[in-house]
Amino acid sequence: MRPLLPPPPLSSPDYSLPLSNLASRILYPNPLPSSSTQHALYILNSAAFPDARETSYDDLVPYVLARLPAEDDLLAGHQYEILFFAKASADDAGKPSKKRRPGWQWCVQTYQLLSRILRKRLSRLWIVGAESWVRMLVEGVMVISGGKGRKKVVFLRSVRDLEGWGVRVSELCVPCGVWVAEKRRRKKRRGSAGGEEGANGKGKRAFGVREPLPRVLREATSFLLMDECVKTEGIFRVNAKAVMVEVLQELYDQGQQFIVWRERDTVLCFPFWRDGTGDVGMDELKEKDGYDVHSAAGLIKLWYKELREPIFPQSCYQALGKFYGDANLQLEPHQLVEMLRPDAEWTILTTTARRILRIHLLPLLSRVVDMEEWNHMAAYGLAVCFAPALLRGPDIEEDMKMMGIARRLLDAMIRHWKEHLAPVFETDHQNFETELRLPEVVAGREDPLEEVGDSISPSEAQMSGITLIDNDGSASDTAQEDGSEGEDEAPPLPQRPAPLPPLPPRPRTFLDSEAARPSLPPRVRSSTIAAIPCTGDPTSSLTTNGVDHPVKRKPAPTVQPLPRYSMVVGTSSSLHHQQPHATLEHIPFYNSVEQPVEEPLDLDPDPELPMYEALPESSSSPSANRAAIPRKPVPVKGEKGG
């Protein structure tokens, strides 16, 4: 490594502007000093480290170290701190980059190149999100250099751990890659633990309707309406990265002061930057160090989607379908004026919804439509993009049916806003931009934290009041007896009804049927009766508690046996003349259902029963009277067949 030399002056031809811009992204001062010690705070962003194969670190080091405090200030007694984001080596998508870093020998030599006053006046080195190899590298550098600086190094797991050391995170200018990396790491950690990942501080500040507009709408809308941003093709149609929008929602809810908006060469600076003791080179930041225009558009749509009471609540669905359900209905400007007027006698929109549409949504979308030549977004296209964010009911199918009506209403409002609606409400584009500006006083820029009662919408409060107030006036009578007004006290909660008795067990035996209950004594319960065994006797009885109870059974159907015939022996002629005569009277049968046959039946004829008539005896056998049948002789072996 070459000896450390200061960078050439800005007017020198050897001055490298790309290296200077790269150094400003790697190391830059925080706008506000450290809240714990009031020392100057410098942020070291590892995500901005270039690839060692593309950039020479030996040439880059002088430009980076030149951004540290000057030695004259340090000799006067000033101290400084460095906040190193070691886990910020990620792009705007939160994926780890595959860059070749310099070796540990280069790090040791760079630390030794620092002057004695720079190492002595360094009061604290914060290292956030360091892996094991980074810790080993830092400790090795401290040991090699003397080991006196090990007490100044503090390793932290996340940015929020700085709060435990008295450092207010809301006053830090943290790169967006750090927040995205922490968001993904938190999701992965909670997902492996089986829990759900939730947004920190969701709904605390940003996502509420306040007077004037909340800070999230002021900053995102101001950046979106800048000349280079509003001409972006596909604005509100191209989806932003979900993780970027979630990070922005958390930052605004937590009151993060310094949020960088940048789209190409357009950077938005807010009054927060002018109140700090440091100076951040905003023009030197690249696109990945800020949030783009699609993230601002996605954040605005998310704000409308997360409203506790949507623009079109479920209570107005019936009126929407009745008055505006016809697809061929042409909405006139006077109808839209009556719908948006704050003093309208009757309208389907709530007072809050009408105010939001007048002061923010319609002026914003009308301005976007004015740049349709560049962004290719017409009124109907914007209505298609925003309609899903304005409906949120319990039934998704019902929301889908109402979405077409809301799309037509929003399309008509956007088309008629500039010429017919805005003059009625005495507003224009200049007044709209004026309303978006943040107050000059720092205390009035941040939204206040919401109270407990703010989390309940007016419709929910009204329904809860109707449910809890006793109609017989008992609550007001009690309040009058105590000497207090009934309006200031909350109505009493209704008593919880007593639990119902358990159901009796389901009957499982024959005795639980209606046919068997009359024959049982009243004290005999079905739960104490055992199952009746299946026996062959239809008149069997059951003994319960020493009492015999006859059991009625339906007799099984009788099965008649087949007639039994004797062997008939005689000539063929006698068979035609002798007809069998038999009777089946007095023949006992056996019930195969009630009494199965266990022994083989005796097939011998009963002597008492009449049988067939006896055939006359023949002197010769049946085969003797039979005519001879001519047969072909059997051939003998060895003879040829004729």
Side-chain angles (χ1 to χ4, degrees):
M1 188 174 183
R2 300 190 302 267
L4 179 63
L5 297 176
L10 184 61
S11 59
S12 175
D14 297 333
Y15 185 84
S16 177
L17 185 60
L19 292 179
S20 177
N21 295 337
L22 184 58
S24 64
R25 295 180 56 239
I26 295 176
L27 183 66
Y28 58 88
N30 192 62
L32 297 178
S34 175
S35 56
S36 59
T37 59
Q38 297 301 319
H39 295 162
L41 180 62
Y42 289 81
I43 295 178
L44 182 60
N45 182 18
S46 64
F49 286 171
D51 194 340
R53 294 169 294 187
E54 301 175 357
T55 305
S56 175
Y57 273 78
D58 294 341
D59 298 336
L60 180 62
V61 168
Y63 292 89
V64 175
L65 298 183
R67 301 185 64 83
L68 291 175
E71 293 187 1
D72 297 339
D73 297 336
L74 299 178
L75 291 175
H78 298 289
Q79 295 182 351
Y80 69 99
E81 300 177 3
I82 295 180
L83 177 58
F84 177 39
F85 293 109
K87 194 60 177 177
S89 57
D91 56 7
D92 54 357
K95 299 179 181 178
S97 58
K98 298 180 181 179
K99 297 180 181 179
R100 179 176 296 180
R101 307 297 184 185
W104 65 272
Q105 297 179 355
W106 180 88
C107 298
V108 174
Q109 295 176 4
T110 303
Y111 182 78
Q112 292 178 348
L113 290 177
L114 294 176
S115 61
R116 183 176 180 273
I117 190 64
L118 284 175
R119 284 183 285 182
K120 184 177 181 180
R121 292 301 181 183
L122 178 63
S123 62
R124 186 74 66 184
L125 175 60
W126 311 92
I127 301 179
V128 179
E131 298 181 358
S132 57
W133 69 272
V134 177
R135 295 192 178 191
M136 295 175 60
L137 178 62
V138 173
E139 292 180 358
V141 171
M142 294 298 177
V143 171
I144 295 175
S145 60
K148 296 182 180 179
R150 297 185 61 182
K151 298 180 180 179
K152 301 179 181 180
V153 181
V154 177
F155 292 95
L156 300 174
R157 186 175 182 179
S158 64
V159 184
R160 297 299 172 187
D161 294 341
L162 290 169
E163 299 284 353
W165 293 82
V167 179
R168 288 190 288 269
V169 180
S170 60
E171 299 179 356
L172 301 178
C173 182
V174 183
C176 62
V178 177
W179 295 118
V180 172
E182 287 206 354
K183 179 73 175 180
R184 290 185 178 272
R185 185 167 60 252
R186 187 167 63 249
K187 280 186 176 181
K188 183 178 180 180
R189 184 171 64 251
R190 296 188 180 184
S192 60
E196 297 182 358
E197 198 278 333
N200 294 335
K202 182 178 181 180
K204 297 297 183 182
R205 299 176 186 264
F207 287 77
V209 180
R210 307 190 185 281
E211 181 69 36
L213 289 175
R215 177 193 165 202
V216 58
L217 287 186
R218 290 171 177 265
E219 294 188 1
T221 307
S222 299
F223 174 66
L224 191 143
L225 291 181
M226 299 180 74
D227 294 338
E228 296 297 330
C229 296
V230 74
K231 296 179 181 179
T232 304
E233 183 177 356
I235 189 172
F236 288 114
R237 176 175 55 83
V238 178
N239 293 329
K241 296 178 181 179
V243 63
M244 301 290 283
V245 178
E246 292 176 1
V247 166
L248 283 170
Q249 179 183 2
E250 291 185 9
L251 295 181
Y252 277 106
D253 284 343
Q254 295 163 1
Q256 197 71 23
Q257 295 185 10
F258 305 104
I259 298 178
V260 181
W261 295 97
R262 182 182 180 89
E263 180 67 26
R264 294 184 293 273
D265 297 333
T266 303
V267 181
L268 182 62
C269 302
F270 289 99
F272 278 119
W273 300 93
R274 296 199 301 265
D275 296 332
T277 58
D279 183 18
V280 179
M282 297 288 294
D283 297 334
E284 300 173 354
L285 297 177
K286 290 190 176 181
E287 294 181 16
K288 62 185 306 182
D289 297 323
Y291 303 94
D292 58 354
V293 63
H294 295 297
S295 300
L299 186 64
I300 293 174
K301 289 194 296 185
L302 181 63
W303 188 88
Y304 280 94
K305 184 179 179 180
E306 294 290 334
L307 285 176
R308 294 186 179 89
E309 189 174 9
I311 300 298
F312 296 100
Q314 188 189 13
S315 57
C316 73
Y317 283 2
Q318 185 177 1
L320 276 176
K322 181 178 180 181
F323 298 104
Y324 307 101
D326 188 5
N328 300 323
L329 178 63
Q330 298 295 332
L331 294 173
E332 301 296 335
H334 66 88
Q335 296 177 333
L336 301 176
V337 170
E338 291 296 328
M339 187 184 302
L340 297 174
R341 283 179 55 186
D343 56 347
E345 297 181 358
W346 181 89
T347 178
I348 60 174
L349 301 176
T350 61
T351 304
T352 304
R354 284 176 282 170
R355 188 177 67 86
I356 296 175
L357 290 174
R358 292 193 312 269
I359 67 176
H360 181 261
L361 184 58
L362 295 180
L364 169 62
L365 300 183
S366 177
R367 178 60 176 169
V368 175
V369 172
D370 292 341
M371 301 297 174
E372 182 182 357
E373 182 180 356
W374 292 273
N375 55 37
H376 304 288
M377 293 300 296
Y380 182 78
L382 293 173
V384 171
C385 297
F386 263 91
L390 307 182
L391 297 168
R392 192 180 68 253
D395 191 357
I396 300 180
E397 296 182 358
E398 191 176 6
D399 292 347
M400 295 297 295
K401 296 178 182 178
M402 296 293 108
M403 194 173 299
I405 304 176
R407 188 187 306 121
R408 292 194 300 270
L409 286 175
L410 187 58
D411 179 23
M413 292 178 183
I414 298 173
R415 287 187 287 104
H416 295 289
W417 173 258
K418 187 175 182 179
E419 297 182 0
H420 302 92
L421 303 182
V424 175
F425 300 112
E426 298 179 356
T427 182
D428 54 8
H429 181 64
Q430 297 297 331
N431 295 336
F432 177 53
E433 290 186 348
T434 304
E435 292 293 334
L436 293 177
R437 296 176 184 174
L438 292 175
E440 293 295 334
V441 182
V442 180
R445 298 171 191 166
E446 189 56 69
D447 299 327
L449 287 171
E450 66 178 8
E451 300 178 357
V452 180
D454 295 343
S455 60
I456 303 177
S457 61
S459 60
E460 295 177 353
Q462 182 181 7
M463 293 302 298
S464 61
I466 295 175
T467 304
L468 298 178
I469 292 178
D470 195 357
N471 294 331
D472 58 2
S474 58
S476 59
D477 297 340
T478 306
Q480 293 176 1
E481 292 177 1
D482 298 339
S484 60
E485 297 181 359
E487 297 178 356
D488 298 335
E489 294 187 0
L493 296 176
Q495 297 182 358
R496 182 176 297 180
L500 299 176
L503 297 176
R506 185 176 181 180
R508 297 182 179 179
T509 60
F510 173 76
L511 293 177
D512 290 331
S513 60
E514 296 295 338
R517 288 178 182 174
S519 61
L520 296 178
R523 294 184 179 181
V524 179
R525 297 182 178 179
S526 60
S527 59
T528 60
I529 301 177
I532 302 175
C534 182
T535 59
D537 189 3
T539 60
S540 60
S541 60
L542 176 67
T543 303
T544 305
N545 298 333
V547 182
D548 294 339
H549 306 283
V551 180
K552 297 181 180 181
R553 288 180 177 273
K554 183 178 181 180
T558 57
V559 180
Q560 297 183 358
L562 298 175
R564 295 176 295 175
Y565 296 94
S566 301
M567 181 69 68
V568 179
V569 181
T571 60
S572 59
S573 59
S574 63
L575 293 175
H576 295 283
H577 299 284
Q578 302 294 337
Q579 300 293 335
H581 297 81
T583 178
L584 300 178
E585 296 180 1
H586 307 291
I587 297 178
F589 64 90
Y590 297 91
N591 190 349
S592 61
V593 177
E594 296 293 337
Q595 187 174 357
V597 179
E598 298 180 358
E599 298 180 359
L601 298 177
D602 186 9
L603 299 179
D604 295 337
D606 193 347
E608 298 181 358
L609 295 177
M611 298 299 294
Y612 296 102
E613 296 180 358
L615 297 176
E617 298 182 359
S618 176
S619 58
S620 60
S621 60
S623 59
N625 299 332
R626 214 174 277 174
I629 301 174
R631 294 179 180 273
K632 184 178 181 180
V634 179
V636 182
K637 293 182 180 181
E639 297 181 359
K640 296 182 179 179

